[in-house]
Amino acid sequence: MNDAAFEIRRATGADVAALTEFGARTFRESFGKDNTAEDMEKHLASAWREDLQRAELLDPSIDTLVACDSQGLLCGFAMVRENHSPPGIATLKPVELWRFYVDKPWQGRGLAQALMRAVEASARTRGARELWLGVWERNERAQAFYRKCGFEKVGSQIFVVGTDPQTDHVMLRTLG
Ligand SMILES: CC(C)(COP(=O)(O)OP(=O)(O)OC[C@H]1O[C@@H](n2cnc3c(N)ncnc32)[C@H](O)[C@@H]1OP(=O)(O)O)[C@@H](O)C(=O)NCCC(=O)NCCS
């Protein structure tokens, strides 16, 4: 692999520590400036702990995909989960794209598209007819990326960061 190369694979138990650090760091880097320090710490403590990541990796309803650079270091990840439906939207067999993060140095370089193709493959393997997600109403870059990938806004939902109820756009695309 050259320096710009990456590989995408399913996460294993050996990834727990790196994934926990990466998930917390990228969430903080992406949204730290838009939230109070207290809300950020509360959210990170409730979502990014090694015991939680280990349980999520073992959960058969969740697929965790990681992108690694030529050194084997994490540069992105995605989590896909079953048994969650977009609120108030009629669907046949929805699978949620729950988390999707690409490290800053890798943004705009095609890694996110490759990760999205892996997400679609994972959702199709689970028999999904629709892929859906929630994205913060103020996260315009991510919304632009998802629109490029064929998602459309179909509704909204509340996502609580710490104590702050924030509005997410719900976006959905059908899988042929
Ligand atoms: C969302 C994310 C995965 C997208 O990956 P990416 O590599 O940045 O995506 P791309 O660069 O291919 O596409 C982003 C698009 O938004 C555009 N864009 C960039 N900044 C923008 C902004 N402030 N407002 C609107 N559009 C913007 C880009 O020009 C690009 O469109 P183009 O290809 O037509 O030029 C990545 O940015 C990321 O991980 N962000 C931080 C975490 C996050 O927000 N995750 C999603 C949580 S729901």
Side-chain angles (χ1 to χ4, degrees):
M1 286 197 286
N2 62 41
D3 281 350
F6 55 84
E7 67 157 359
I8 295 173
R9 59 171 175 79
R10 287 180 73 100
T12 71
D15 296 308
V16 165
L19 188 59
T20 305
E21 185 279 329
F22 186 88
R25 175 171 64 77
T26 51
F27 190 91
R28 190 195 299 278
E29 285 175 1
S30 304
F31 307 116
K33 66 179 187 327
D34 300 303
N35 289 279
T36 66
E38 293 75 22
D39 281 338
M40 180 56 60
E41 294 317 312
K42 193 163 184 218
H43 174 77
L44 294 179
S46 71
W48 289 103
R49 294 198 318 258
E50 289 196 16
D51 59 326
L52 293 175
Q53 264 55 72
R54 191 167 292 107
E56 288 166 5
L57 277 176
L58 291 172
D59 185 332
S61 71
I62 299 174
D63 289 332
T64 302
L65 303 163
V66 289
C68 299
D69 68 11
S70 55
Q71 317 284 312
L73 297 174
L74 277 184
C75 45
F77 76 97
M79 296 177 77
V80 172
R81 65 179 178 180
E82 280 189 70
N83 307 327
H84 292 261
S85 301
I89 310 295
T91 46
L92 296 170
K93 165 75 173 153
V95 163
E96 183 185 12
L97 174 49
W98 183 27
R99 291 170 171 154
F100 193 89
Y101 285 77
V102 168
D103 208 359
K104 252 199 166 19
W106 285 89
Q107 291 176 11
R109 295 172 62 186
L111 188 149
Q113 279 83 356
L115 195 53
M116 184 61 82
R117 285 192 289 276
V119 162
E120 288 163 16
S122 136
R124 283 200 167 91
T125 300
R126 289 179 175 276
R129 302 283 296 276
E130 301 94 0
L131 192 56
W132 74 279
L133 58 90
V135 54
W136 193 22
E137 60 180 350
R138 288 169 57 185
N139 189 350
E140 291 180 5
R141 181 175 188 133
Q143 290 169 35
F145 171 74
Y146 294 135
R147 278 194 299 273
K148 253 189 344 186
C149 296
F151 289 84
E152 286 174 27
K153 180 176 186 279
V154 293
S156 58
Q157 66 181 6
I158 297 299
F159 181 82
V160 180
V161 177
T163 57
D164 184 21
Q166 302 181 349
T167 302
D168 276 4
H169 291 180
V170 171
M171 299 182 80
L172 180 141
R173 58 161 293 196
T174 53
L175 294 174

